[in-house]
């Protein structure tokens, strides 16, 4: 689409230059110079538009990362199964797992006594737009209210009730 916008001014200048040279109103050299200058300006405009679009895309990605980090509000983010989380009593931490809400699968956390679930957010995808079937991530923020060791399990449940989890992810938490 951008090519058509850029080609149209160049084409108009070429036609004007040819008309002038055919009528004797200017020399071929002048017409060629005019076309060359128009092409150079068009290339510069295209480069500037590309740089502006790249800058906007980088800013959008930075904003999304900042938004995801601020949504967690829970210190370090843990994503791997069988991870040990070492924190001070009263501090919070974040667990982030992949999710695709359109499939009907859900993560169900099993939180032991002494831990409080502070929040649960489904993050927007890094890609632009909301595309059906596009994966994302879900984040939970937990706080350890009492010292000791506990285990938080996340069961990936298929759609429907009364089914067994398809997968379980475990985090061992040591609160000092």
């Amino acid at each position: 689409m951008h090519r058509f916008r850029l080609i149209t001014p160049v084409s108009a200048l070429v036609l004007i230059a040819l008309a002038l040279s055919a009528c004797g109103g200017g020399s071929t050299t002048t017409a060629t110079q005019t076309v060359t200058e128009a092409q150079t300006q068009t290339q510069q405009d295209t480069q500037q538009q590309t740089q502006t679009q790249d800058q906007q895309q980088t800013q959008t990605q930075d904003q999304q990362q900042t938004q995801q980090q601020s949504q967690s509000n829970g210190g370090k983010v843990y994503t791997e199964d069988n991870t040990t989380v070492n924190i001070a009593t009263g501090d919070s931490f974040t667990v982030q797992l992949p999710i695709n809400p359109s499939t009907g699968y859900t993560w169900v956390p099993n939180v032991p006594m002494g831990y409080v679930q502070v929040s649960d957010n489904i993050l927007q995808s890094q890609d632009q737009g909301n595309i059906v079937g596009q994966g994302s991530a879900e984040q939970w923020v937990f706080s350890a209210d009492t010292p000791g060791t506990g285990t938080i399990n996340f069961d990936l449940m298929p759609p429907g009730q009364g089914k067994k989890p398809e997968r379980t992810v475990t985090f061992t938490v040591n609160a000092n």
Side-chain angles (χ1 to χ4, degrees):
M1 183 170 192
H2 294 290
R3 289 182 181 164
F4 291 109
R5 278 192 252 154
L6 299 175
I7 292 172
T8 304
V10 172
S11 300
L13 289 174
V14 169
L15 289 174
I16 292 170
L18 289 174
L20 287 174
S21 65
C23 297
S27 69
T28 305
T29 305
T30 305
T32 304
Q33 288 174 342
T34 303
V35 170
T36 303
E37 289 171 3
Q39 288 174 338
T40 302
Q41 183 62 42
T42 301
Q43 288 172 349
Q44 290 172 349
D45 290 345
T46 302
Q47 289 173 348
Q48 191 173 22
Q49 286 176 346
T50 302
Q51 288 173 349
T52 302
Q53 289 171 351
D54 289 345
Q55 289 171 349
Q56 289 172 344
Q57 185 176 13
T58 301
Q59 287 173 347
T60 301
Q61 288 173 347
D62 290 345
Q63 288 170 351
Q64 287 174 344
Q65 288 174 351
T66 301
Q67 178 184 10
Q68 286 180 1
Q69 289 171 353
S70 67
Q71 284 176 344
S72 71
N73 294 330
K76 187 172 179 182
V77 178
Y78 298 90
T79 61
E80 298 296 321
D81 187 16
N82 296 320
T83 298
T84 299
V85 178
N86 295 308
I87 62 168
T89 303
D91 283 351
S92 58
F93 62 96
T94 301
V95 173
Q96 179 175 307
L97 298 172
I99 189 77
N100 186 338
S102 68
T103 64
Y105 281 79
T106 57
W107 286 105
V108 178
N110 299 306
V111 184
M113 296 291 289
Y115 296 92
V116 175
Q117 181 177 327
V118 178
S119 68
D120 176 5
N121 295 308
I122 294 180
L123 305 177
Q124 291 184 356
S125 174
Q126 295 285 29
D127 297 333
Q128 298 296 325
N130 292 325
I131 301 171
V132 175
Q134 183 176 32
S136 185
E138 188 166 2
Q139 277 189 347
W140 297 263
V141 177
F142 296 97
S143 175
D145 290 345
T146 57
T149 300
T151 302
I152 300 177
N153 292 313
F154 289 84
D155 293 329
L156 182 60
M157 302 300 290
Q161 295 181 354
K163 307 233 178 180
K164 294 182 180 180
E166 185 171 301
R167 177 179 170 207
T168 299
V169 178
T170 302
F171 295 88
T172 303
V173 182
N174 294 319
N176 303 331

